[in-house]
Amino acid sequence: MFVQVILGRAVDAVGLQRAWERWHAEVEPGATGYLGSTAGVAADGTFVAMVRFDSEAAGRASSARPEQSAWWNEARRFLADDLAFHA
């Protein structure tokens, strides 16, 4: 299993939730090897997401998809600039 972790601060928690829901509806179906995710925004705006794939190759391939990039470019506006990514 391969896990991508995203840490940051939400500037619009409601917008981020809507974006996350859109990812599940529109982008997830083509994410080969996707196993699931856990994400949320704490009361202080802290955002944490853990996205699981069956392999590192699947996770990296998902990140490289044009659909993923387009979704991220829109979802990114709901997060502050201080994001950290861990794999």
Side-chain angles (χ1 to χ4, degrees):
M1 181 170 41
F2 176 73
V3 178
Q4 294 175 327
V5 179
I6 305 166
L7 302 170
R9 195 169 33 87
V11 295
D12 180 348
V14 173
L16 186 57
Q17 177 64 36
R18 287 185 187 137
W20 201 258
E21 290 168 359
R22 192 171 71 73
W23 186 89
H24 284 289
E26 298 174 14
V27 183
E28 177 187 340
T32 302
Y34 172 76
L35 298 175
S37 61
T38 302
V41 178
D44 69 353
T46 300
F47 170 71
V48 178
M50 293 177 286
V51 185
R52 300 175 308 281
F53 290 89
D54 63 9
S55 68
E56 183 175 352
R60 303 253 182 240
S62 178
S63 293
R65 295 172 55 222
E67 303 91 333
Q68 176 67 29
S69 295
W71 172 82
W72 178 249
N73 288 335
E74 287 192 28
R76 179 70 183 83
R77 66 187 172 149
F78 302 117
L79 295 160
D81 291 333
D82 59 345
L83 287 173
F85 295 84
H86 304 279

